[in-house]
Structures are given as structure tokens and as C-alpha cells.
Amino acid sequence: MLRYRKAVTYGFHVLLGALEQHGTTTRYEVRFGETPASTAEHIRAALATGAKVLVLWSFYSPDAAALAEELALVRRLADGPSVLHIAGGVHATAEPVQTLDAGWDIAAVGEGETTLLKLVDAVGAPTGITGLVYRDAAGDIIKTGRPERRPLDDFRGFSLRWDRFNALEITRGCVFSCRFCQTPFMFSAKFRHRSVADVRWHVDRMRERGLRDVRFITPTALSYGSQTDEPNLAAVEDLLASCHEGIGPRGRVFFGSFPSEIRPEHVSREALRLVRRYCANTNIIVGAQSGSDRVLAAAKRGHDVEQVRRAARLAIEEGFRINVDMIFGMPGEDHADVQASLSLARELAELGARIHAHTFMPLPGTPWRDAPAGDVDPETVREVDRLSQRGALYGHWQRQRDHAHRLAAAAQAYPRPGRSRTLLPVVTPADPAVPDQGGR
Ligand code: SF4
């Protein structure tokens, strides 16, 4: 059973892609629970046949509290000793004990493909399967270690058998180590790329099914084919040329736009012209995050503000609309830093860019997990609102403020061993060089 929510379909499709290729002696069926009520209904129906039911959940950290309430509701509607609720994804990986305490039977940590296949083979018995955290009969925590990280080509990026398609994951992991980001923690600080041949196999299957739009999931689009912080444009061109040919004249390829983005220092005329030559997107998304070099250095972003300006100008000169991600309320951000971010936002908006605004959230698994919730002062809120009313800014930054406070409270309730708030990696005006917090 998948607790199948729109926000997390991609992760489930990848699991289904792995499952459909897997030979097993276990007889199983897959059901999609699209609401709590239908999930409970499916569980009741399965229990009536004497089946064992594994209910798979996946969620991001900001949604963890709401999903725990939903889990309790599903349990009230349908439950039994043959039902196991298993939480996977980045939150369960970073906070497995919190996840168990919130009501799940098992937290699946790390990448889920091999773990799921072994669980299916073992008809749900977790003993000896890596990638799991659960309590034994005595209530003690059992951790079985991280599962193997396999090449992306080993598993399908979507599911043909269950007819579930999505943007194709072309890169997993990230060599950058931005302190607010869960990606390097979840998938390692190395890039693993899906090969061009394997991507093309997927694109060919999409075309056969009448699908027209090819989009990609990647932490940093222009890092495709690279193992360093530099782009590999030859690899990007191979990828885009093959996808363009594969999806055919009626199809479209999107690169560097939703749901992925481009790092500002990777933007070059050559790269933008590649996108123009092979892709249909007229906009690109660039991660700027802050208008303060001091905050960018503290966040270990690996680029400066001038590179953001340069990227925006180049993109606009090359005829792209540009969306720029920015985060307000980063740890240690002072009044001058906020003013610098607002000033950059105004400057980019004047150029024609749209700002995608976020509030800093102390995400589990990141070096800034124990930082205070992002705080946005009323003056900043007014300025952000003004940009928003002009259509120059959008995003869920207000809702993220609430999420940030919940996450900060949860982090306090579950302190990491050896950590305390006095050890926070918060930049101070006198000390912009923050010691490495081991973000990779
Ligand atoms: S925010 Fe930084 S660490 Fe995270 S995926 Fe993007 S470049 Fe990588």
C-alpha cells in the first residue's frame, strides 16, 4: 500500500520501477491510497484476505507533524497486527527515532529501492535488512545501517507496469555542501548520474506511451556528467541531444527549469545556448539564496552575489525569463544582510527576474538542523509583500515560517548527541569564517 500523495509521487514511482523488475517468490499486490480514508479502506480489504500489509509513507520534514496526525487517523480506521506502517524519505532518514515516536513502525533510512525489494522478499520481516530503524519487542531501538547506494541505471526512474510517470532523475547526490540542504546528507556528497543511454531508454518508453514532455530531477542541472563543481557541457549536450531526438518533433525537453535549477556560477552563454538549441523552456531557475556574500559564505554556497547578478544578466540577454531562489532568515543574518538580500531582489526584479522566496527552515540532517527558525522582521515582510504585489516575487515563505518553528521545536526535543544550541554554526559579524560543520 502506498499512501500516495501528490507531493511525493516521484519517490514512489522510483520504488515501483525497482519492484516491477524484481523477481521474488512473494506474491504481492500494490494499492494506491490517495486519501486517509481510501488508505484505510484498502488496508481493511487486504486484511480480509489474510494478507500482510506494508503501508509505505514518504514525506518531507515540514510535513512530518501533519502526516503523523494522518497516520493516527488511518490507524483508528483500520489496523491490526499484520499491518506495518513504514516511513521513508529524507525526514525518516534524518530523524528515525522521532519518526518511530510519531507512530510509524519502521523508519526506512537512505535510498529505498534495495530496502523495499528485500522487505518484499522477506514478507515485511525487518530482521537483517539494511536501511531500517525499528524497536524490538523490548522497545530497544534496532538500527540495521545504511543500505547500499547503487548506480542510478540499476533501477527504472518510473513505473511502466503501474503506468506512473514523472520527471526523470538524472543525478543523485551533490558535491556542494550548502548548510541548509538535505540532499548531500540523504544521497551523499558525490554525483551519481544516470547514463545518457539509460535516460534515452526512458524517453523512448515515454514516447511510445504518447507522453510529450521530458523533465529532469537533479540537484544542479548543469552538473550532469560532472564529478566536480565544474559543469561538463559536453555531457549535457549529449544528454539533451539524445532526449530531443528521442521524444521527437512533437515532444518537448525542459532543462534548468522546474523541477530542477541551475547554480549561478554555471550559467554561461554556451550553456544557455545549449538549452535553447535542444529544449522548450523559455525560463530557467537559478539558486541565489542570499544577497549577502557573508551569508553565502556561512552557508557554504560556493558562489558570490556578483555571480548571481552575472547569471541573471546573461540569461536575460539570451532571451530567458529567470526565476531566482532566495532564502530569508538564514542563521546569523543581520539587518545589513537582509537589506542586501532585499536590494538584490529589487535589482533582479528590475531586470525582469522573478524571486522565489523561502524562509529558512532548520532541516533535519543538515549542519543547520539546530539553528533557530528563520525569522523575518515586519519591515522585511512589508518589502517582500510589495515585491509580491508587483508580481516580482512568489513562494510559500509565510507557510515556511510556521514549518520552521515546528522543526526548531522538534530539534530541541530530540537533541543530537554532543550538540547544544551554544555550538550552533551561526555566523557572527566579527567571524564570517564559520568552521566546517561536516555538511558533506
Ligand atoms: S542547495 Fe547546494 S547542496 Fe543542495 S542540492 Fe543545491 S547545490 Fe547541492
Side-chain angles (χ1 to χ4, degrees), residues 173-184 191 218-220 261 263 289 300-301:
C174 186
V175 301
F176 298 97
S177 52
C178 309
R179 285 200 153 105
F180 50 81
C181 175
Q182 291 177 311
T183 296
F191 290 129
T218 161
T220 132
E261 66 177 44
R263 286 181 58 85
Q289 317 309 358
K300 295 192 82 175
R301 273 293 291 173

Side-chain angles (χ1 to χ4, degrees), residues 152-171:
L152 291 197
D153 285 10
D154 283 4
F155 299 113
R156 288 181 182 167
F158 47 57
S159 168
L160 294 178
R161 177 172 165 192
W162 284 280
D163 206 22
R164 306 278 164 159
F165 294 87
N166 44 270
L168 187 62
E169 184 183 33
I170 51 169
T171 301

Side-chain angles (χ1 to χ4, degrees), residues 1-326:
M1 167 81 50
L2 309 178
R3 174 58 190 102
Y4 191 73
R5 299 179 305 123
K6 248 191 188 161
V8 292
T9 53
Y10 149 71
F12 284 139
H13 296 174
V14 169
L15 292 180
L16 293 174
L19 189 58
E20 70 193 20
Q21 291 176 278
H22 181 61
T24 179
T25 54
T26 304
R27 203 164 54 83
Y28 66 86
E29 290 180 22
V30 173
R31 293 279 180 269
F32 296 82
E34 297 191 356
T35 63
S38 73
T39 304
E41 213 167 286
H42 284 303
I43 293 172
R44 272 196 303 270
L47 289 177
T49 68
K52 178 145 192 166
V53 186
L54 308 187
V55 189
L56 308 188
W57 299 70
S58 180
F59 45 88
Y60 298 107
S61 298
D63 303 325
L67 268 292
E69 284 176 23
E70 195 183 287
L71 168 65
L73 170 64
V74 170
R75 280 196 190 279
R76 282 197 299 278
L77 295 172
D79 209 357
S82 306
V83 183
L84 272 183
H85 288 276
I86 303 172
V90 68
H91 186 78
T93 299
E95 302 287 355
V97 177
Q98 238 183 74
T99 302
L100 298 182
D101 290 352
W104 280 275
D105 299 303
I106 296 178
V109 302
E111 301 177 18
E113 291 99 329
T114 52
T115 307
L116 175 68
L117 302 183
K118 287 179 185 172
L119 267 175
V120 168
D121 290 344
V123 201
T127 315
I129 296 176
T130 51
L132 300 176
V133 178
Y134 57 96
R135 288 186 198 277
D136 65 13
D140 294 328
I141 297 280
I142 308 291
K143 295 183 177 180
T144 64
R146 278 199 182 251
E148 204 186 340
R149 285 173 168 150
R150 303 259 298 267
L152 291 197
D153 285 10
D154 283 4
F155 299 113
R156 288 181 182 167
F158 47 57
S159 168
L160 294 178
R161 177 172 165 192
W162 284 280
D163 206 22
R164 306 278 164 159
F165 294 87
N166 44 270
L168 187 62
E169 184 183 33
I170 51 169
T171 301
R172 195 178 279 188
C174 186
V175 301
F176 298 97
S177 52
C178 309
R179 285 200 153 105
F180 50 81
C181 175
Q182 291 177 311
T183 296
F185 154 78
M186 177 75 184
F187 298 121
S188 93
K190 285 188 182 148
F191 290 129
R192 271 171 293 155
H193 304 290
R194 196 178 289 281
S195 69
V196 172
D198 193 63
V199 172
R200 177 59 180 269
W201 180 89
H202 285 80
V203 172
D204 289 345
R205 302 291 81 70
M206 289 174 68
R207 188 175 177 180
E208 282 165 12
R209 301 261 173 137
L211 298 169
R212 292 183 51 200
D213 288 353
V214 179
R215 296 179 188 271
F216 303 113
I217 294 175
T218 161
T220 132
L222 282 168
S223 294
Y224 180 75
S226 171
Q227 289 305 333
T228 70
D229 53 7
E230 297 289 329
N232 177 348
L233 291 187
V236 172
E237 179 156 20
D238 283 350
L239 172 81
L240 297 182
S242 181
C243 291
H244 179 70
E245 179 186 78
I247 203 65
R250 289 164 49 81
R252 301 185 300 179
V253 179
F254 296 84
F255 186 82
S257 61
F258 180 81
S260 63
E261 66 177 44
I262 298 178
R263 286 181 58 85
E265 77 277 21
H266 288 177
V267 175
S268 64
R269 282 196 200 283
E270 201 186 349
L272 292 166
R273 287 173 185 177
L274 277 184
V275 176
R276 171 96 55 70
R277 189 173 317 144
Y278 296 107
C279 303
N281 45 305
T282 53
N283 76 89
I284 59 165
I285 305 177
V286 168
Q289 317 309 358
S290 175
S292 157
D293 281 331
R294 201 178 69 89
V295 171
L296 289 176
K300 295 192 82 175
R301 273 293 291 173
H303 64 77
D304 62 20
V305 177
E306 195 44 43
Q307 285 169 310
V308 175
R309 288 194 182 97
R310 205 191 107 274
R313 280 195 297 262
L314 272 180
I316 288 161
E317 281 170 23
E318 289 295 323
F320 286 89
R321 283 179 294 121
I322 179 165
N323 296 289
V324 180
D325 272 327
M326 294 191 75

